[in-house]
Every structure is written in C-alpha cells, then in structure tokens.
C-alpha cells in the first residue's frame, strides 16, 4: 500500500529531529569533525575533487565503508554540537527592489529578509507575503506590526519575527537564515517588551483564524476560459465563499479584483478587503457569483498567518552549528587548514569506552620528541629511521615538542609509530627525532555514524585567534 507524502510530514519530521537535538543527553551526541589537511590526499583516494565519494544520505549514495574508514584516518578534531547550536532554517531570500514576489500559498519566493535601522541600530526582520499584485516590489516592508501591512506598491506583508544577534552570529549566512520556534505560553509569561521573542509573540496573538488575503491563478487556464466580462479592459470583481451554504457565517468577506492587461498580455490581481472567518473549501467567484475557472484561494494555515513561524515559512530544514573556540586541547590543532567537515553521531570515547560526551576531542595521533621543539612542518611526510618498513604519516600540527599526524594512505591506519623509535622526513635523512611518548586519538577509530560529509571547494584556514564555525544543514 502506498501513501502520498506531503510537506506537512516533512515539517513534522524536522520538528521531531529539532526537539530531539535541543533536548540532547549524553545518550546520543553529535559532533562536527574536521578532516583532510591536504587536498591531494583526498584526490589520491577519490581520483577527483568533485565530491563523488561524499555522503549526503539516501539509498543511491555512493558512500561506503571504505569512505568512512578513510575519512576517519584523516580526522583532525571533533567538536560537540550543543543544544544551543541547533535551529530550524530556510533558504535566505533578501528583499530586492523591482523583484516580483509570490504570495501565500506559494512555496517559492514568498518571504523576505529585510535589514532596517531603528535609532541607528540594525535589525533583521522577516516578512511573509500575503498578497502580490504580480508587479515588481518597489517598497521594502519595514516595522514590526503585529498585523499585516499594505504598501503603496500593492503588496501585503506580514511581519513574522526578527533574528536576534546571537542567532544571526550562529545561523545566518549567505545561503540560510534561522527560523525561531513558536513562543510557548510558559515562555510568554516572562517576556520582556521590545525583545525579539516579545515581538514574535505579539504576532502570534494577533493571528486571525480563517483569514484570506488573496488568490492565485493559472494564467493559461484563465486566458483560455475568459468571457465577455474580460473585454474592453474591464476589471472583474473577485469574491470568495466557503463550503457553508450560509455566507453570513463568514465574519468578513474578501473582496478583490482581477484585470487583464491586454497590452502586456498578463493578469493583474488586486485586493480591496481581506477576509476573516472562512472555513472548509474556498470557491472563487465573480460579481455575478459565477465561478472563475483557473483561480483558487486558500485559508491561512493553522491559527492564522504568523501563528507559527516555522510552519509559516515551511521550515523543513535544520541547521547544526559548532562554534569552536581555540583553547585548551584544541589550541595546538587550531592552526593549518582542513577541507572536509563531517557530521558524526555517537563516536566512542577511548577513555570511557562509551558514547562521547566532552565538548572537544583530538581526532588524530601524536607523539612527543626528544627536543624542546620539533623541527617538522605541517604537511611534512615522515617515516621510521634508520630502517624504513614502509610506514608513512603526514604531520598536521606541531606544538613545541608534540607532533600531531594522520596516516594519509588508505587502509594504513595501523601504521603508528612507537615509543623510543626514530622518525625522519620521507625525502631524505633530515630532521631526525627520537619519539619519547606516543598518544592515540581520543576517539575510537572509525566509531560513530557519519551522517553527512561536506567537501569544501576551498580549504578552510584555522587560526588560534579566531572562533571557528562549522555548519551542517539537514533537509527533510
């Protein structure tokens, strides 16, 4: 038996995963892992830089056990994703003048992000388009009105929420923007006037049940079915009824217009009065109560426009962010570069033999040498000395006398170095060091499930004096 899957299920799945991550315990943890300090190591394995071996999920993925092994060999650091690093998100759409925007119930290009300045302070507001006149947008929506606002260019916008500074730092980038969860009744009791959550709650409380602000139409069907009412550039009045026989039950009747612009061969809609109190299935008719073929309308979802921001924007994606501060054990590895970021579920802690729970883990092997400072450089390839048995490693970081390395050749994870052993550069008898003590990685090799891998086209440079951000987006 088959079933139709709607976007509503995707919303439910995204909400369920979000709730699970926000209430995370040590029974299930997620980590952002940095891997591959040198892109040529990836190329020698995948034979290309086009991400063919990456894992994005799904039955058709080419990702296999060999990929997991190789990625683990090249992992440098693990950074736990904490509950504060999770948000639902949608593709970022900035308002641009002279662009035509769609209106609800369209699922494309129907909301905008606007930066406005209030008393010299910038604010990032998100608006949902309730009505589009099918013309270029001239005026940007502004303000935080809890009710819809009609602009002089004919667009009707509903302010939904403002992105807080902390959310902007963590979740706003050139591709995605965060969507806050609905304000609960319990949270509302302690809201401070003027805050972003207070403004969002005001919108929720003013949402109108059964609201109708516009209609959509199929131009081809409408053009083919038009009758004498459309001749001589006449404007047709648009009225909306619902499935109830008694129209008096509608609290406020929607009134709109539809005009055929013969010169430009297009239909131009207009709104005269919004409607409230509609239920059931809507029917679009003209001034003579004749059905207008090709024109449809839809009641605002849920409790009304603005009542639930994630549902309003169809937020079926989740962003997971790890903000990595160079300190403590991470500091020696907060240099150099990496070119792959992996999202890993439930890696195993070497010490506890249980699901990893610390904020940070070293993902590669290391050793201390007999000198005060090791003379190796990042990306040097080293080998045993004086007897060369074929073992090779790539240096990924040097912190005084401690050298961090990965086994960069596929299926050579076992090629570790030993205490009291000597190592030297691969390309000659140079920089000989004796190993005083060896250290294994903090995470059991190849443990945990790789949920997603992201190969970066350009290496990401690490620095000890800057906070690093690693982002993942899961779409449902």
């Amino acid at each position: 038996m088959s079933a139709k899957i709607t976007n509503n299920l995707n919303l439910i799945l995204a909400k369920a995963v979000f709730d699970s991550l926000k209430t995370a315990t040590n029974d299930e943890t997620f980590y952002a892992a940095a891997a591959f300090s040198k892109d040529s190591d990836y190329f020698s394995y995948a034979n290309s830089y086009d991400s063919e071996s990456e894992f994005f999920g799904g039955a058709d993925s080419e990702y296999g056990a060999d990929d997991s092994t190789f990625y683990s060999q090249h992992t440098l650091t693990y950074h736990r994703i904490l509950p504060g690093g999770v948000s639902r998100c949608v593709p970022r759409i900035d308002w641009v003048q002279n662009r035509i925007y769609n209106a609800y119930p369209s699922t494309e290009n129907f909301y905008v992000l606007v930066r406005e300045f209030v008393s010299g302070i910038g604010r990032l507001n998100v608006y949902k388009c309730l009505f589009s006149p099918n013309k270029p947008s001239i005026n940007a929506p502004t303000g935080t009105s809890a009710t819809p606002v009609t602009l002089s260019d004919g667009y009707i916008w509903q302010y939904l929420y403002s992105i807080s500074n902390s959310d902007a730092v963590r979740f706003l980038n050139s591709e995605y923007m965060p969507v806050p969860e609905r304000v609960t009744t319990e949270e509302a009791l302690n809201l401070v006037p003027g805050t972003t959550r207070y403004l969002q709650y005001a919108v929720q409380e003013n949402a109108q049940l059964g609201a109708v602000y516009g209609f959509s139409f199929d131009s081809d069907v409408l053009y083919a079915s038009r009758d004498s009412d459309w001749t001589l550039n006449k404007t047709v009045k648009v009225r909306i009824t619902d499935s109830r026989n008694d129209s008096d039950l509608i609290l406020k009747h929607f009134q709109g217009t539809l005009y055929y612009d013969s010169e430009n061969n297009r239909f131009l809609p207009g709104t005269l009065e919004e409607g409230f109190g509609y239920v059931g299935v809507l029917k679009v008719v003209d001034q003579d109560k004749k059905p207008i073929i090709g024109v449809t309308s839809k009641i605002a979802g849920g409790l009304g426009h603005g009542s639930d921001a994630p549902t309003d924007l169809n937020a079926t994606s989740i962003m997971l962010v790890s903000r990595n501060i160079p300190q403590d054990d991470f500091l020696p590895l907060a240099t150099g570069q990496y070119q792959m970021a992996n999202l890993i579920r439930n890696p195993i802690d070497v010490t506890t033999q249980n699901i990893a729970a610390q904020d940070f883990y070293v993902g590669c092997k290391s050793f201390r040498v007999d000198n005060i400072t090791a003379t190796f450089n990042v990306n040097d390839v080293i080998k045993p000395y004086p007897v060369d048995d074929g073992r090779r490693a790539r240096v990924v970081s040097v912190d005084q006398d401690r050298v961090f390395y990965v086994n960069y050749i596929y299926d050579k994870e076992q090629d570790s170095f030993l205490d009291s052993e000597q190592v030297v550069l691969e390309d000659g008898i140079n920089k000989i060091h004796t190993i005083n003590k060896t250290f294994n990685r903090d995470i059991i090799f190849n443990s945990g499930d790789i949920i997603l891998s992201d190969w970066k086209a350009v290496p990401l440079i690490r620095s000890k004096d800057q906070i690093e951000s690693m982002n993942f987006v899961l779409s449902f």
Side-chain angles (χ1 to χ4, degrees):
M1 180 179 177
S2 61
K4 292 183 178 179
I5 304 300
T6 69
N7 242 9
N8 292 330
L9 179 58
N10 295 334
L11 275 169
I12 293 171
L13 290 173
K15 172 67 170 160
V17 174
F18 171 83
D19 289 342
S20 175
L21 292 170
K22 288 294 284 187
T23 57
T25 66
N26 290 340
D27 293 329
E28 183 174 52
T29 59
F30 291 83
Y31 284 81
F36 289 96
S37 64
K38 192 171 179 62
D39 59 0
S40 60
D41 294 336
Y42 180 86
F43 183 85
S44 65
Y45 171 73
N47 201 33
S48 72
Y49 291 121
D50 61 5
S51 311
E52 289 181 352
S53 296
E54 292 186 50
F55 180 47
F56 292 97
D60 296 330
S61 173
E62 296 180 8
Y63 173 87
D66 53 345
D67 299 310
S68 175
T69 299
F70 194 58
Y71 298 171
S72 295
Q73 279 184 218
H74 283 267
T75 297
L76 309 173
T77 54
Y78 290 83
H79 308 266
R80 184 170 179 179
I81 294 175
L82 301 171
V86 183
S87 174
R88 283 203 266 183
C89 64
V90 292
R92 175 172 175 167
I93 302 176
D94 290 277
W95 180 84
V96 177
Q97 192 175 50
N98 291 321
R99 178 177 293 174
I100 297 177
Y101 294 96
N102 299 323
Y104 172 86
S106 174
T107 57
E108 296 181 355
N109 205 35
F110 68 100
Y111 60 85
V112 293
L113 172 65
V114 178
R115 178 185 291 275
E116 70 169 348
F117 290 88
V118 180
S119 300
I121 299 176
R123 184 161 57 194
L124 294 166
N125 297 337
V126 177
Y127 301 88
K128 177 182 179 181
C129 183
L130 303 188
F131 177 78
S132 169
N134 202 27
K135 295 180 179 179
S137 176
I138 305 301
N139 308 112
T142 58
T144 57
S145 171
T147 57
V149 174
T150 303
L151 302 185
S152 60
D153 57 10
Y155 278 85
I156 299 179
W157 299 95
Q158 170 68 66
Y159 164 77
L160 293 180
Y161 62 91
S162 297
I163 301 175
S164 68
N165 291 335
S166 60
D167 279 354
V169 169
R170 288 175 295 173
F171 306 113
L172 181 65
N173 58 39
S174 61
E175 297 182 71
Y176 290 92
M177 63 185 196
V179 182
E181 297 302 301
R182 176 180 167 83
V183 179
T184 64
T185 303
E186 294 77 10
E187 182 185 359
L189 297 175
N190 300 306
L191 290 177
V192 178
T195 61
T196 57
R197 297 295 278 171
Y198 181 90
L199 295 173
Q200 183 180 344
Y201 184 66
V203 175
Q204 287 181 198
E205 289 298 286
N206 281 276
Q208 288 280 353
L209 187 67
V212 174
Y213 280 87
F215 52 90
S216 56
F217 54 89
D218 185 317
S219 295
D220 293 335
V221 174
L222 192 56
Y223 184 85
S225 62
R226 64 193 182 127
D227 55 24
S228 58
D229 288 339
W230 299 95
T231 61
L232 301 177
N233 288 334
K234 288 176 61 177
T235 297
V236 173
K237 296 179 180 179
V238 177
R239 301 292 183 264
I240 295 176
T241 63
D242 60 23
S243 51
R244 295 172 295 186
N245 292 326
D246 188 355
S247 62
D248 291 337
L249 296 175
I250 299 172
L251 299 179
K252 183 180 181 181
H253 289 262
F254 172 87
Q255 297 183 48
T257 60
L258 192 55
Y259 169 76
Y260 177 62
D261 178 4
S262 58
E263 182 177 346
N264 296 296
N265 191 28
R266 62 177 180 173
F267 290 94
L268 299 176
T271 292
L272 301 176
E273 292 282 348
E274 70 273 18
F276 299 123
Y278 285 91
V279 299
V281 180
L282 300 185
K283 301 175 182 178
V284 181
V285 298
D286 62 14
Q287 62 270 16
D288 300 321
K289 296 185 179 181
K290 294 188 303 183
I292 305 178
I293 300 174
V295 181
T296 59
S297 185
K298 187 175 181 179
I299 300 171
L303 296 175
H305 297 298
S307 62
D308 183 359
T311 301
D312 275 297
L313 298 186
N314 191 34
T316 58
S317 295
I318 298 174
M319 182 180 290
L320 293 82
V321 177
S322 174
R323 297 267 295 165
N324 310 326
I325 302 175
Q327 60 186 11
D328 303 327
D329 290 344
F330 175 38
L331 195 58
L333 287 158
T335 58
Q337 64 183 40
Y338 69 93
Q339 207 155 346
M340 176 180 280
N342 294 322
L343 177 63
I344 301 178
R345 172 180 173 270
N346 293 344
I348 305 301
D349 186 314
V350 165
T351 302
T352 65
Q353 297 289 295
N354 207 335
I355 293 173
Q358 296 177 187
D359 289 350
F360 173 79
Y361 289 94
V362 175
C364 56
K365 303 172 189 175
S366 63
F367 56 77
R368 292 191 183 279
V369 299
D370 53 347
N371 289 18
I372 296 176
T373 301
T375 56
F376 296 133
N377 297 314
V378 172
N379 284 328
D380 280 347
V381 175
I382 55 178
K383 65 180 181 180
Y385 176 83
V387 178
D388 182 2
D389 58 8
R391 284 175 292 159
R392 295 290 185 273
R394 184 178 300 284
V395 176
V396 295
S397 182
V398 178
D399 181 42
Q400 297 183 351
D401 65 336
R402 190 165 180 179
V403 178
F404 297 83
Y405 71 93
V406 296
N407 298 112
Y408 68 97
I409 301 174
Y410 172 67
D411 201 27
K412 295 296 182 180
E413 166 62 20
Q414 71 278 5
D415 287 355
S416 301
F417 296 113
L418 308 174
D419 291 353
S420 302
E421 189 172 23
Q422 287 188 309
V423 289
V424 68
L425 287 180
E426 180 190 40
D427 57 3
I429 303 174
N430 193 12
K431 298 183 179 180
I432 302 173
H433 284 293
T434 300
I435 296 175
N436 280 344
K437 183 174 178 57
T438 58
F439 302 88
N440 198 358
R441 53 171 56 85
D442 294 341
I443 293 293
I444 291 179
F445 174 67
N446 206 25
S447 63
D449 304 314
I450 295 183
I451 305 300
L452 182 145
S453 290
D454 183 14
W455 176 259
K456 308 294 184 181
V458 178
L460 300 179
I461 308 301
R462 294 185 137 170
S463 175
K464 292 184 178 182
D465 60 0
Q466 68 182 19
I467 297 175
E468 176 183 270
S469 182
M470 300 174 71
N471 300 357
F472 301 91
V473 175
L474 305 179
S475 297
F476 298 87

